[in-house]
Amino acid sequence: MTNKTDFKKALDAYQAKRGRFRVVDVPDMQYLMVDGHGDPNTSPAFAEAVEALYPVAYKLKFASKRDLGRDYVVPPLEGLWWAEDMASFTVARDNSQWDWTLMLMVPDWINQTMFITAVEQARAKSQPARLDDVRLETLSEGRCVQTLHVGSFDDEADVLSQLHHEVIPGQGFRMVGTHHEIYLSDFRRVAPDKQRTILRQPVTTEAAPGG
């Protein structure tokens, strides 16, 4: 019987506690990715991105179990978020200004050939609208500060403000990279006040260029 790896439990990068801001050294990880822009609550592109990622992710999971004897739980949905004015995440909270990349992590033993095959299998079966936008890419984040937020996405602003303006500079870091969220709860099925989301921010101790 094949053992099934649950990366949400096995990897330290997926561990976080509410009210605790933890420094984590995140290893390079590869993801299925789809980019987009705009309010995730109203943008058709957001829903279409989710619909494109999961068929490919499950084709890869089944191929890994069948061909390699390595089974795993498909990890939770994740997202990178940014905007020209980062205050739109905290003070202004203007969802329409957000850019995003939705992601599903895949194990490092999944290669490009397996990915291409999985995309073609998904195309033959369900033909998601944004299937051609899905890519396989490695994300290098390195040192990060992260915490667990419990509640609605719209209630993240205070936690993010504390993370950005108190915790990170207070520990001698500055922000680099892109705000990262990991959706431990399926927001399509879990009530907003019970949603569990890891909020992650890559950091560095290096001075800003020209600083």
Side-chain angles (χ1 to χ4, degrees), residues 21-198:
F21 295 87
R22 190 166 72 99
V23 178
V24 183
D25 289 316
V26 179
D28 290 357
M29 298 166 72
Q30 66 173 354
Y31 293 87
L32 302 174
M33 299 183 176
V34 179
D35 300 324
H37 174 81
D39 187 340
N41 298 308
T42 58
S43 169
F46 188 87
E48 290 170 352
V50 175
E51 292 166 359
L53 286 171
Y54 275 101
V56 179
Y58 276 98
K59 296 296 183 186
L60 288 171
K61 165 191 162 62
F62 297 144
S64 178
K65 180 180 180 180
R66 181 188 65 239
D67 300 335
L68 305 178
R70 305 182 76 170
D71 195 10
Y72 60 92
V73 178
V74 172
L77 185 69
E78 307 184 35
L80 303 178
W81 299 86
W82 69 99
E84 186 172 339
D85 179 5
M86 287 301 290
S88 66
F89 287 97
T90 53
V91 181
R93 202 67 184 174
D94 184 357
N95 304 20
S96 67
Q97 300 302 310
W98 296 354
D99 293 297
W100 42 264
T101 298
L102 288 186
M103 314 188 299
L104 285 173
M105 193 274 278
V106 294
D108 56 11
W109 62 79
I110 300 295
N111 59 38
Q112 195 70 27
T113 300
M114 295 175 69
F115 165 68
I116 292 171
T117 300
V119 169
E120 292 311 309
Q121 290 174 340
R123 190 189 314 281
K125 184 171 183 180
S126 56
Q127 299 183 347
R130 299 203 63 197
L131 184 62
D132 288 337
D133 296 328
V134 180
R135 67 185 186 277
L136 179 64
E137 186 173 304
T138 297
L139 179 65
S140 300
E141 291 183 296
R143 181 149 294 180
C144 299
V145 181
Q146 66 186 37
T147 190
L148 179 68
H149 170 69
V150 179
S152 166
F153 300 134
D154 292 331
D155 293 335
E156 290 178 2
D158 289 345
V159 180
L160 289 175
S161 182
Q162 183 181 5
L163 176 64
H164 293 173
H165 303 299
E166 298 176 26
V167 175
I168 289 175
Q171 296 194 28
F173 296 126
R174 70 176 180 87
M175 297 193 300
V176 293
T178 307
H179 172 67
H180 187 162
E181 298 189 349
I182 302 170
Y183 307 109
L184 300 179
S185 306
D186 186 340
F187 51 75
R188 298 168 298 181
R189 296 180 173 86
V190 177
D193 63 331
K194 298 184 183 303
Q195 291 168 348
R196 301 169 66 250
T197 306
I198 295 177

Side-chain angles (χ1 to χ4, degrees), residues 3-15:
N3 291 326
K4 182 183 293 187
T5 301
D6 187 345
F7 294 103
K8 192 168 63 173
K9 297 178 181 178
L11 293 181
D12 184 58
Y14 285 112
Q15 308 307 311

